[in-house]
Amino acid sequence: MERRSVKSTMRTFEVLELFEAQRRPMRLQEIHQILGYPQSSTTNMLKSMVVMGYLNYNRSSRTYLPTTKVSNLGSWLPNFIHFDGCHYNLVEKIQEETDETVSLCSQNDLFVQYLIVREPSHEFKMPPPQGSLRMLVDSAAGLALISSWSDKEIDKICRYTNYYELNRAPSVYAEAPHDRVSLAEVMEEVREVRHVGYSYRAGKPIPEVAAIAMPLLSTSHGIPLAIGVGGLTQRIAERKNLIIESMRRHVSEFNVTNAA
């Protein structure tokens, strides 16, 4: 029963994300084909969302569309999380100066989440979708965030991550029983972050992408934050020192202003 409830919850949000991507009314047949759900369970789920007021059903066209109740759910969040605009200003300044993708990230359980993403106008980029998640131990921003933790806390997050991956993809672990996340490798990167004050990852986990990240001293309602600059590996490598100098200057100003 618990597993069924979790799956149902995930599917509900995946339906809403599908509408966000498509941005148009959709029929039942389209939804269940694109998402790959059984038609019967898709029908019941959509009917439940209509009854709760989150979807509108047009009987003449037989299409579904989210209602404003969906947008109202999170309408209070931007002012709550970024109430004074200082985080947006930090992202904008670094993006304008570096001309690369800049992200404000937070810790979200085992993950780092991209809260604000600003892209350059040029085509040489592979930005993460705003709101997307990546494992803490698999990202420059994540390593920057956990660099202030104790070694014991980092050991725990590595074990939790391996447990999560084991349950998410048991067939992979059947062929490769060793832990995917190596504590020794993570600690080596963390010690480097502690030494130089920033995390730099090139080609990991995405071969074509490199990123530099620094933790912020301030939090958002107790949630740890980091700022990251990313782009194609060669571009970031060639301009690494300039990017780090820009990030250090603006992060230092941000920390002083928000500590006052």
Side-chain angles (χ1 to χ4, degrees):
M1 179 65 70
E2 183 180 351
R3 183 169 295 178
R4 187 179 301 118
S5 299
V6 170
K7 183 182 290 186
S8 176
T9 302
M10 290 180 64
R11 286 179 173 178
T12 300
F13 285 108
E14 285 172 350
V15 166
L16 294 175
E17 289 178 347
L18 176 62
F19 277 109
E20 195 275 335
Q22 297 289 327
R23 303 196 175 194
R24 61 181 175 83
M26 300 184 70
R27 291 193 172 199
L28 166 66
Q29 191 73 9
E30 285 185 280
I31 295 170
H32 99 82
Q33 285 182 346
I34 293 174
L35 296 178
Y37 304 157
Q39 184 165 340
S40 58
S41 59
T42 306
T43 301
N44 293 332
M45 178 173 54
L46 296 178
K47 285 182 177 179
S48 297
M49 295 175 74
V50 170
V51 170
M52 294 184 68
Y54 292 107
L55 289 184
N56 172 274
Y57 179 62
N58 186 325
R59 286 188 173 272
S60 60
S61 62
R62 298 183 180 180
T63 56
Y64 293 88
L65 187 69
T67 68
T68 54
K69 188 174 181 179
V70 175
S71 60
N72 289 339
L73 281 176
S75 61
W76 59 280
L77 281 171
N79 288 332
F80 180 76
I81 297 176
H82 311 300
F83 53 92
D84 58 4
C86 58
H87 300 96
Y88 285 104
N89 291 336
L90 175 64
V91 171
E92 297 287 355
K93 287 177 181 177
I94 296 177
Q95 197 287 313
E96 185 176 321
E97 202 164 283
T98 63
D99 198 28
E100 299 293 349
T101 299
V102 180
S103 306
L104 179 74
C105 308
S106 72
Q107 180 196 351
N108 187 347
D109 194 23
L110 302 177
F111 309 91
V112 60
Q113 185 164 28
Y114 298 91
L115 302 179
I116 305 173
V117 179
R118 291 291 180 269
E119 305 174 28
S121 57
H122 59 72
E123 61 183 298
F124 308 106
K125 57 189 176 183
M126 292 181 66
Q130 187 163 295
S132 61
L133 300 169
R134 185 168 293 160
M135 286 290 181
L136 281 167
V137 295
D138 266 349
S139 69
L143 291 168
L145 286 168
I146 68 175
S147 63
S148 62
W149 297 6
S150 69
D151 292 2
K152 186 176 181 179
E153 289 174 315
I154 296 172
D155 172 68
K156 186 181 294 185
I157 206 73
C158 287
R159 287 189 284 111
Y160 285 163
T161 300
N162 280 320
Y163 180 78
Y164 170 84
E165 294 280 36
L166 174 63
N167 285 274
R168 186 171 69 99
S171 61
V172 174
Y173 273 76
E175 298 176 3
H178 300 294
D179 288 345
R180 186 185 72 79
V181 177
S182 164
L183 175 62
E185 292 177 4
V186 171
M187 287 306 307
E188 183 178 354
E189 292 192 79
V190 165
R191 283 190 286 270
E192 179 67 13
V193 177
R194 290 170 177 170
H195 178 66
V196 299
Y198 62 87
S199 172
Y200 172 61
R201 291 195 118 209
K204 297 187 296 184
I206 303 173
E208 302 87 352
V209 175
I212 302 168
M214 297 179 183
L216 302 181
L217 294 182
S218 66
T219 65
S220 177
H221 305 281
I223 302 172
L225 300 171
I227 193 82
V229 176
L232 300 187
T233 303
Q234 185 174 344
R235 286 179 58 90
I236 300 300
E238 290 174 349
R239 305 175 61 241
K240 178 183 173 185
N241 292 336
L242 292 174
I243 292 172
I244 291 171
E245 190 280 327
S246 174
M247 293 179 71
R248 278 180 168 157
R249 177 162 34 86
H250 288 297
V251 168
S252 177
E253 293 172 0
F254 175 89
N255 287 336
V256 169
T257 300
N258 286 275

